[in-house]
mmCIF file of all heavy atoms in Angstrom:
data_model
loop_
_atom_site.group_PDB
_atom_site.id
_atom_site.type_symbol
_atom_site.label_atom_id
_atom_site.label_comp_id
_atom_site.label_asym_id
_atom_site.label_seq_id
_atom_site.Cartn_x
_atom_site.Cartn_y
_atom_site.Cartn_z
ATOM 1 N N ALA L 275 152.439 171.350 108.829
ATOM 2 C CA ALA L 275 152.591 172.634 108.108
ATOM 3 C C ALA L 275 152.121 172.482 106.677
ATOM 4 O O ALA L 275 152.243 171.436 106.051
ATOM 5 C CB ALA L 275 154.042 173.074 108.176
ATOM 6 N N GLY L 276 151.535 173.543 106.153
ATOM 7 C CA GLY L 276 151.125 173.529 104.734
ATOM 8 C C GLY L 276 149.688 173.057 104.558
ATOM 9 O O GLY L 276 149.212 172.968 103.414
ATOM 10 N N SER L 277 148.970 172.784 105.621
ATOM 11 C CA SER L 277 147.581 172.360 105.506
ATOM 12 C C SER L 277 146.863 172.616 106.843
ATOM 13 O O SER L 277 147.498 172.796 107.862
ATOM 14 C CB SER L 277 147.476 170.897 105.132
ATOM 15 O OG SER L 277 147.979 170.080 106.154
ATOM 16 N N GLY L 278 145.560 172.615 106.800
ATOM 17 C CA GLY L 278 144.769 172.801 107.996
ATOM 18 C C GLY L 278 143.346 172.296 107.814
ATOM 19 O O GLY L 278 142.897 172.041 106.695
ATOM 20 N N LEU L 301 135.059 182.538 104.582
ATOM 21 C CA LEU L 301 136.451 182.203 104.814
ATOM 22 C C LEU L 301 137.372 183.275 104.255
ATOM 23 O O LEU L 301 137.095 183.798 103.170
ATOM 24 C CB LEU L 301 136.800 180.850 104.143
ATOM 25 C CG LEU L 301 135.992 179.656 104.604
ATOM 26 C CD1 LEU L 301 136.228 178.490 103.695
ATOM 27 C CD2 LEU L 301 136.412 179.295 106.050
ATOM 28 N N SER L 302 138.452 183.589 104.947
ATOM 29 C CA SER L 302 139.460 184.560 104.449
ATOM 30 C C SER L 302 140.810 183.887 104.424
ATOM 31 O O SER L 302 141.211 183.264 105.415
ATOM 32 C CB SER L 302 139.491 185.782 105.345
ATOM 33 O OG SER L 302 138.244 186.464 105.303
ATOM 34 N N ASN L 303 141.479 184.005 103.280
ATOM 35 C CA ASN L 303 142.824 183.477 103.087
ATOM 36 C C ASN L 303 143.779 184.534 103.695
ATOM 37 O O ASN L 303 143.875 185.648 103.168
ATOM 38 C CB ASN L 303 143.089 183.260 101.616
ATOM 39 C CG ASN L 303 144.497 182.790 101.335
ATOM 40 O OD1 ASN L 303 145.383 182.829 102.193
ATOM 41 N ND2 ASN L 303 144.717 182.363 100.088
ATOM 42 N N ILE L 304 144.514 184.204 104.730
ATOM 43 C CA ILE L 304 145.402 185.132 105.400
ATOM 44 C C ILE L 304 146.839 184.968 104.980
ATOM 45 O O ILE L 304 147.730 185.487 105.630
ATOM 46 C CB ILE L 304 145.249 185.064 106.925
ATOM 47 C CG1 ILE L 304 145.533 183.694 107.435
ATOM 48 C CG2 ILE L 304 143.822 185.538 107.351
ATOM 49 C CD1 ILE L 304 145.549 183.562 108.963
ATOM 50 N N THR L 305 147.055 184.289 103.855
ATOM 51 C CA THR L 305 148.405 184.081 103.367
ATOM 52 C C THR L 305 148.645 184.998 102.158
ATOM 53 O O THR L 305 147.756 185.657 101.677
ATOM 54 C CB THR L 305 148.677 182.628 102.922
ATOM 55 O OG1 THR L 305 147.980 182.345 101.715
ATOM 56 C CG2 THR L 305 148.259 181.645 104.015
ATOM 57 N N THR L 306 149.864 184.976 101.655
ATOM 58 C CA THR L 306 150.253 185.772 100.470
ATOM 59 C C THR L 306 150.205 185.021 99.183
ATOM 60 O O THR L 306 150.760 185.432 98.195
ATOM 61 C CB THR L 306 151.655 186.371 100.690
ATOM 62 O OG1 THR L 306 152.583 185.289 100.861
ATOM 63 C CG2 THR L 306 151.692 187.306 101.876
ATOM 64 N N HIS L 307 149.515 183.871 99.160
ATOM 65 C CA HIS L 307 149.364 183.056 97.954
ATOM 66 C C HIS L 307 148.060 182.278 98.006
ATOM 67 O O HIS L 307 147.468 182.126 99.072
ATOM 68 C CB HIS L 307 150.564 182.091 97.806
ATOM 69 C CG HIS L 307 150.924 181.415 99.077
ATOM 70 N ND1 HIS L 307 151.800 181.977 99.985
ATOM 71 C CD2 HIS L 307 150.459 180.297 99.653
ATOM 72 C CE1 HIS L 307 151.887 181.187 101.065
ATOM 73 N NE2 HIS L 307 151.100 180.168 100.868
ATOM 74 N N ALA L 308 147.619 181.792 96.836
ATOM 75 C CA ALA L 308 146.331 181.054 96.794
ATOM 76 C C ALA L 308 146.440 179.749 97.580
ATOM 77 O O ALA L 308 147.503 179.117 97.645
ATOM 78 C CB ALA L 308 146.023 180.711 95.308
ATOM 79 N N LEU L 309 145.320 179.363 98.150
ATOM 80 C CA LEU L 309 145.215 178.079 98.896
ATOM 81 C C LEU L 309 144.173 177.201 98.235
ATOM 82 O O LEU L 309 143.117 177.679 97.780
ATOM 83 C CB LEU L 309 144.771 178.342 100.341
ATOM 84 C CG LEU L 309 145.749 179.123 101.239
ATOM 85 C CD1 LEU L 309 145.110 179.346 102.608
ATOM 86 C CD2 LEU L 309 147.067 178.412 101.370
ATOM 87 N N ASN L 310 144.450 175.909 98.193
ATOM 88 C CA ASN L 310 143.433 174.929 97.794
ATOM 89 C C ASN L 310 142.497 174.725 98.980
ATOM 90 O O ASN L 310 142.952 174.471 100.082
ATOM 91 C CB ASN L 310 144.088 173.622 97.395
ATOM 92 C CG ASN L 310 144.972 173.734 96.187
ATOM 93 O OD1 ASN L 310 144.707 174.547 95.295
ATOM 94 N ND2 ASN L 310 146.051 172.988 96.154
ATOM 95 N N VAL L 311 141.181 174.809 98.714
ATOM 96 C CA VAL L 311 140.203 174.707 99.787
ATOM 97 C C VAL L 311 139.126 173.709 99.401
ATOM 98 O O VAL L 311 138.631 173.743 98.271
ATOM 99 C CB VAL L 311 139.574 176.109 100.081
ATOM 100 C CG1 VAL L 311 138.486 175.975 101.139
ATOM 101 C CG2 VAL L 311 140.620 177.104 100.485
ATOM 102 N N GLN L 334 138.100 180.595 93.300
ATOM 103 C CA GLN L 334 138.791 180.566 92.032
ATOM 104 C C GLN L 334 139.001 179.129 91.607
ATOM 105 O O GLN L 334 138.756 178.201 92.373
ATOM 106 C CB GLN L 334 140.194 181.214 92.152
ATOM 107 C CG GLN L 334 140.182 182.600 92.636
ATOM 108 C CD GLN L 334 141.607 183.109 92.904
ATOM 109 O OE1 GLN L 334 141.768 184.254 93.151
ATOM 110 N NE2 GLN L 334 142.632 182.269 92.901
ATOM 111 N N GLN L 339 139.868 177.034 95.026
ATOM 112 C CA GLN L 339 140.910 177.880 95.641
ATOM 113 C C GLN L 339 140.349 179.202 96.117
ATOM 114 O O GLN L 339 139.364 179.722 95.528
ATOM 115 C CB GLN L 339 142.026 178.191 94.641
ATOM 116 C CG GLN L 339 142.906 177.050 94.301
ATOM 117 C CD GLN L 339 144.070 177.479 93.388
ATOM 118 O OE1 GLN L 339 143.993 178.463 92.673
ATOM 119 N NE2 GLN L 339 145.150 176.710 93.440
ATOM 120 N N ILE L 340 141.004 179.757 97.122
ATOM 121 C CA ILE L 340 140.753 181.155 97.541
ATOM 122 C C ILE L 340 142.056 181.892 97.329
ATOM 123 O O ILE L 340 143.131 181.423 97.737
ATOM 124 C CB ILE L 340 140.325 181.238 99.030
ATOM 125 C CG1 ILE L 340 139.001 180.463 99.238
ATOM 126 C CG2 ILE L 340 140.148 182.713 99.427
ATOM 127 C CD1 ILE L 340 138.536 180.440 100.685
ATOM 128 N N GLY L 341 142.009 183.003 96.615
ATOM 129 C CA GLY L 341 143.177 183.764 96.267
ATOM 130 C C GLY L 341 143.863 184.394 97.471
ATOM 131 O O GLY L 341 143.306 184.525 98.540
ATOM 132 N N ALA L 342 145.104 184.782 97.239
ATOM 133 C CA ALA L 342 145.937 185.408 98.273
ATOM 134 C C ALA L 342 145.255 186.619 98.871
ATOM 135 O O ALA L 342 144.866 187.497 98.175
ATOM 136 C CB ALA L 342 147.305 185.791 97.711
ATOM 137 N N GLY L 343 145.078 186.628 100.192
ATOM 138 C CA GLY L 343 144.504 187.753 100.900
ATOM 139 C C GLY L 343 143.030 188.000 100.615
ATOM 140 O O GLY L 343 142.493 189.006 101.040
ATOM 141 N N LYS L 344 142.387 187.104 99.891
ATOM 142 C CA LYS L 344 140.963 187.288 99.517
ATOM 143 C C LYS L 344 140.024 186.570 100.457
ATOM 144 O O LYS L 344 140.436 185.651 101.188
ATOM 145 C CB LYS L 344 140.750 186.808 98.096
ATOM 146 C CG LYS L 344 141.503 187.664 97.072
ATOM 147 C CD LYS L 344 141.129 187.262 95.670
ATOM 148 C CE LYS L 344 141.876 188.178 94.699
ATOM 149 N NZ LYS L 344 141.513 187.906 93.340
ATOM 150 N N SER L 345 138.772 186.985 100.388
ATOM 151 C CA SER L 345 137.710 186.342 101.174
ATOM 152 C C SER L 345 136.699 185.752 100.219
ATOM 153 O O SER L 345 136.476 186.285 99.112
ATOM 154 C CB SER L 345 137.036 187.343 102.106
ATOM 155 O OG SER L 345 137.948 187.812 103.065
ATOM 156 N N TRP L 364 142.172 173.009 104.008
ATOM 157 C CA TRP L 364 142.967 173.780 103.076
ATOM 158 C C TRP L 364 144.342 173.160 102.945
ATOM 159 O O TRP L 364 144.795 172.446 103.832
ATOM 160 C CB TRP L 364 143.062 175.242 103.494
ATOM 161 C CG TRP L 364 143.874 175.502 104.723
ATOM 162 C CD1 TRP L 364 143.408 175.542 105.986
ATOM 163 C CD2 TRP L 364 145.286 175.680 104.825
ATOM 164 N NE1 TRP L 364 144.427 175.754 106.858
ATOM 165 C CE2 TRP L 364 145.603 175.855 106.166
ATOM 166 C CE3 TRP L 364 146.323 175.722 103.895
ATOM 167 C CZ2 TRP L 364 146.907 176.084 106.628
ATOM 168 C CZ3 TRP L 364 147.606 175.940 104.326
ATOM 169 C CH2 TRP L 364 147.895 176.109 105.683
ATOM 170 N N GLN L 365 145.012 173.466 101.846
ATOM 171 C CA GLN L 365 146.343 172.973 101.610
ATOM 172 C C GLN L 365 147.044 173.999 100.706
ATOM 173 O O GLN L 365 146.467 174.572 99.828
ATOM 174 C CB GLN L 365 146.296 171.626 100.926
ATOM 175 C CG GLN L 365 147.598 170.936 100.784
ATOM 176 C CD GLN L 365 147.434 169.492 100.305
ATOM 177 O OE1 GLN L 365 146.487 169.183 99.572
ATOM 178 N NE2 GLN L 365 148.308 168.635 100.676
ATOM 179 N N ASN L 366 148.353 174.153 100.943
ATOM 180 C CA ASN L 366 149.133 175.006 100.058
ATOM 181 C C ASN L 366 149.153 174.413 98.671
ATOM 182 O O ASN L 366 149.175 173.191 98.503
ATOM 183 C CB ASN L 366 150.592 175.157 100.569
ATOM 184 C CG ASN L 366 150.694 176.062 101.751
ATOM 185 O OD1 ASN L 366 151.159 175.659 102.812
ATOM 186 N ND2 ASN L 366 150.301 177.319 101.572
ATOM 187 N N SER L 367 149.095 175.279 97.676
ATOM 188 C CA SER L 367 149.106 174.794 96.265
ATOM 189 C C SER L 367 150.500 174.586 95.755
ATOM 190 O O SER L 367 150.692 173.887 94.783
ATOM 191 C CB SER L 367 148.309 175.736 95.380
ATOM 192 O OG SER L 367 148.856 177.025 95.462
ATOM 193 N N GLY L 368 151.492 175.183 96.389
ATOM 194 C CA GLY L 368 152.876 175.006 95.977
ATOM 195 C C GLY L 368 153.740 174.391 97.073
ATOM 196 O O GLY L 368 153.270 173.553 97.806
ATOM 197 N N ASP L 370 154.960 176.120 99.606
ATOM 198 C CA ASP L 370 154.864 176.888 100.859
ATOM 199 C C ASP L 370 154.431 175.976 101.995
ATOM 200 O O ASP L 370 153.735 174.991 101.790
ATOM 201 C CB ASP L 370 153.879 178.033 100.683
ATOM 202 C CG ASP L 370 154.269 179.000 99.630
ATOM 203 O OD1 ASP L 370 155.389 179.554 99.770
ATOM 204 O OD2 ASP L 370 153.550 179.168 98.658
ATOM 205 N N GLN L 371 154.853 176.297 103.194
ATOM 206 C CA GLN L 371 154.513 175.497 104.366
ATOM 207 C C GLN L 371 153.926 176.372 105.452
ATOM 208 O O GLN L 371 154.467 176.460 106.535
ATOM 209 C CB GLN L 371 155.775 174.761 104.896
ATOM 210 C CG GLN L 371 156.306 173.714 103.921
ATOM 211 C CD GLN L 371 155.304 172.539 103.789
ATOM 212 O OE1 GLN L 371 154.873 171.995 104.766
ATOM 213 N NE2 GLN L 371 154.986 172.191 102.586
ATOM 214 N N ASP L 372 152.805 177.003 105.140
ATOM 215 C CA ASP L 372 152.161 177.879 106.121
ATOM 216 C C ASP L 372 151.646 177.079 107.305
ATOM 217 O O ASP L 372 151.081 175.981 107.168
ATOM 218 C CB ASP L 372 150.973 178.600 105.467
ATOM 219 C CG ASP L 372 151.392 179.528 104.352
ATOM 220 O OD1 ASP L 372 152.200 180.443 104.624
ATOM 221 O OD2 ASP L 372 150.970 179.306 103.215
ATOM 222 N N ALA L 373 151.771 177.628 108.515
ATOM 223 C CA ALA L 373 151.252 176.991 109.730
ATOM 224 C C ALA L 373 149.737 177.194 109.807
ATOM 225 O O ALA L 373 149.014 176.320 110.267
ATOM 226 C CB ALA L 373 151.929 177.547 110.953
ATOM 227 N N VAL L 374 149.267 178.344 109.357
ATOM 228 C CA VAL L 374 147.812 178.639 109.308
ATOM 229 C C VAL L 374 147.550 179.289 107.976
ATOM 230 O O VAL L 374 148.422 179.886 107.351
ATOM 231 C CB VAL L 374 147.364 179.552 110.462
ATOM 232 C CG1 VAL L 374 147.495 178.821 111.790
ATOM 233 C CG2 VAL L 374 148.115 180.856 110.493
ATOM 234 N N GLY L 375 146.291 179.184 107.494
ATOM 235 C CA GLY L 375 145.961 179.752 106.207
ATOM 236 C C GLY L 375 144.620 180.426 106.103
ATOM 237 O O GLY L 375 144.419 181.320 105.311
ATOM 238 N N LEU L 376 143.677 180.010 106.905
ATOM 239 C CA LEU L 376 142.313 180.548 106.837
ATOM 240 C C LEU L 376 141.799 181.021 108.203
ATOM 241 O O LEU L 376 142.234 180.531 109.244
ATOM 242 C CB LEU L 376 141.333 179.502 106.325
ATOM 243 C CG LEU L 376 141.537 178.964 104.918
ATOM 244 C CD1 LEU L 376 140.543 177.803 104.648
ATOM 245 C CD2 LEU L 376 141.368 180.022 103.878
ATOM 246 N N VAL L 377 140.858 181.926 108.153
ATOM 247 C CA VAL L 377 140.071 182.312 109.331
ATOM 248 C C VAL L 377 138.633 182.432 108.812
ATOM 249 O O VAL L 377 138.410 182.713 107.631
ATOM 250 C CB VAL L 377 140.569 183.627 109.951
ATOM 251 C CG1 VAL L 377 140.382 184.822 109.049
ATOM 252 C CG2 VAL L 377 139.918 183.855 111.321
ATOM 253 N N PRO L 399 142.835 181.539 113.561
ATOM 254 C CA PRO L 399 143.278 181.037 112.256
ATOM 255 C C PRO L 399 143.697 179.546 112.351
ATOM 256 O O PRO L 399 144.183 179.092 113.356
ATOM 257 C CB PRO L 399 144.488 181.874 111.923
ATOM 258 C CG PRO L 399 144.267 183.130 112.693
ATOM 259 C CD PRO L 399 143.593 182.699 113.997
ATOM 260 N N PHE L 400 143.384 178.846 111.294
ATOM 261 C CA PHE L 400 143.700 177.426 111.243
ATOM 262 C C PHE L 400 144.390 177.115 109.907
ATOM 263 O O PHE L 400 144.381 177.832 108.999
ATOM 264 C CB PHE L 400 142.472 176.542 111.460
ATOM 265 C CG PHE L 400 141.392 176.695 110.399
ATOM 266 C CD1 PHE L 400 141.344 175.805 109.317
ATOM 267 C CD2 PHE L 400 140.465 177.711 110.444
ATOM 268 C CE1 PHE L 400 140.370 175.952 108.335
ATOM 269 C CE2 PHE L 400 139.500 177.855 109.521
ATOM 270 C CZ PHE L 400 139.427 176.991 108.453
#
Side-chain angles (χ1 to χ4, degrees):
S277 64
L301 299 168
S302 296
N303 177 348
I304 59 174
T305 72
T306 57
H307 44 272
L309 295 176
N310 295 326
V311 178
Q334 303 173 171
Q339 289 185 336
I340 299 176
K344 294 187 178 183
S345 296
W364 69 268
Q365 188 171 30
N366 284 121
S367 56
D370 299 301
Q371 292 294 309
D372 297 301
V374 294
L376 297 175
V377 66
F400 62 96

